[in-house]
Amino acid sequence: MKTYSAKVFSTDKYELGESPFYDVRTKTLSWVDITKGTFFTQKIDDVNPAGEKKSFCFEKPIGAAVPAENPGSYIIAGTDALYLLENETATPVKNLSDYYKAYQRSNDAKSDPDGRLWFGSSVDDDVHEASGNLFCLDKGKVICRQPDTKISNGMAWSHDRKKFYFSDSLQYAVFVYDYDLSSGEISNRKVLFKAENAVTDGMCIDSEDNLWVAFWGGHRIEQRSGKDGSLLATVNVEAANVTSCCFIGSNLDTLFITTSGRNQNGKYDGCLFTCKVDVKGLPCDYASLQAFTIQSSRNFI
C-alpha cells in the first residue's frame, strides 16, 4: 500500500472548507467555506501555482459550487435555492423551499456526465436529528434519487458511466449503484466499503476508476478500489477533519484537499493542501444550464 504526505497549499484557515473543483478550461481552482457562506476561486498554472484569488459572499451557508457549462460560471447550492454565478452576479435559478425542511441546507453537489446537477440536503443545526435526501436536477425537474440520507457527501461516476458512487457520512459508508446515463436513474445500491475510525466525507475518482475519499476525523485521504472498496493508498494530512479533494494541474495528477478548522486548534486545521500522486484524475463534468429559469440577481462582492 502506498503512503503519501500532503503539503500545505495555503495557511488561510476555513471554518468548513469544502467542494473543491478544478476547471481545466480556465485553470481555476474553486472551493467554499460552507458555514461562512463564501465561495472562492483562484487561478493556478504550472508557472504561477497560486494566482489571483477572488471571493463571493452569500448571507447564508452554501454547500457547494459546481462549474457550469459556460467557462467561469458556477451553480451554487445554497440554503434556499440553487444560484447561477456568472459575470460576477448571483442569480437564483431554482427555489428549494419545496424540497428542504426549514432547518436544512444544501451540502455537497456535483454534475453528472450528462450535465444533471446532483445535490444533497442536510441538517444545518445541532438540534434536529441528521436527515436529508440526495436530489438530481434534470431538465428543470428536481428528482429525489436517494431518500433518507443522513449527510449527503461525496459523489463520483465511473469512466464507463455505468456506476455511481456516493458517500453518506453518518452511515459511515461509501455506496455503489448501477447508473443509467440516459435517464440518470440509480439502482441496486450496495456498500462498497465501511469507514473505520472516522467519517467518510467528500471524494473524487481517478482515471483508473479508483476513489479518493476524505475522512472527517481521520487526518487522511484514502484511495479505494472502485471495484471492491479495498484500500490502495493513504494520503496523510496535517488536519483532523479532511472534507474533500479533487485533481488539479496540467496533468491532473495532484490532489487539492480541503479541511475544516471548526472546533479545532491544530496549526493547519482548516487549511488547504496539495499532494502529487501516481495516477491521473479526469476533468470534472459541467452542469447544464438549459433548464434553469432566471428569477433575480445580486452583485459580486
Side-chain angles (χ1 to χ4, degrees), residues 154-292:
M155 291 165 258
W157 288 263
S158 63
H159 189 248
D160 65 6
R161 310 317 196 192
K162 293 183 179 181
K163 297 293 181 183
F164 169 66
Y165 302 94
F166 174 57
S167 167
D168 190 339
S169 294
L170 289 186
Q171 293 199 47
Y172 306 97
V174 170
F175 299 91
V176 58
Y177 303 71
D178 292 334
Y179 169 71
D180 186 283
L181 176 62
S182 62
S183 67
E185 293 181 356
I186 56 176
S187 59
N188 300 323
R189 181 173 79 160
K190 298 177 182 177
V191 173
L192 183 67
F193 72 90
K194 283 280 190 179
E196 296 180 4
N197 304 317
V199 175
T200 58
D201 209 304
M203 65 184 177
C204 62
I205 194 165
D206 63 34
S207 58
E208 298 176 2
D209 273 352
N210 296 315
L211 303 172
W212 295 77
V213 183
F215 281 80
W216 180 279
H219 293 87
R220 68 187 187 276
I221 300 279
E222 288 184 357
Q223 184 193 26
R224 291 278 185 158
S225 168
K227 294 180 179 180
D228 60 18
S230 58
L231 180 61
L232 304 177
T234 300
V235 180
N236 294 318
V237 182
E238 201 173 340
N241 294 329
V242 185
T243 57
S244 195
C245 58
C246 70
F247 284 96
I248 68 172
S250 57
N251 292 322
L252 292 175
D253 60 355
T254 298
L255 284 176
F256 175 67
I257 301 166
T258 54
T259 72
S260 170
R262 185 171 59 186
N263 300 325
Q264 301 295 317
N265 55 17
K267 183 177 181 180
Y268 298 117
D269 286 315
C271 292
L272 304 173
F273 295 80
T274 57
C275 183
K276 192 175 186 306
V277 296
D278 297 329
V279 67
K280 292 184 178 182
L282 298 170
C284 68
D285 295 304
Y286 303 108
S288 172
L289 304 179
Q290 63 179 347
F292 286 105

Side-chain angles (χ1 to χ4, degrees), residues 3 6 21 62 66 71-72 116 177 183 195 205 232 260 271 291 294 301:
T3 302
F21 281 96
I62 55 173
V66 180
R116 304 176 185 93
Y177 303 71
S183 67
I205 194 165
L232 304 177
S260 170
C271 292
I294 303 301
I301 298 174

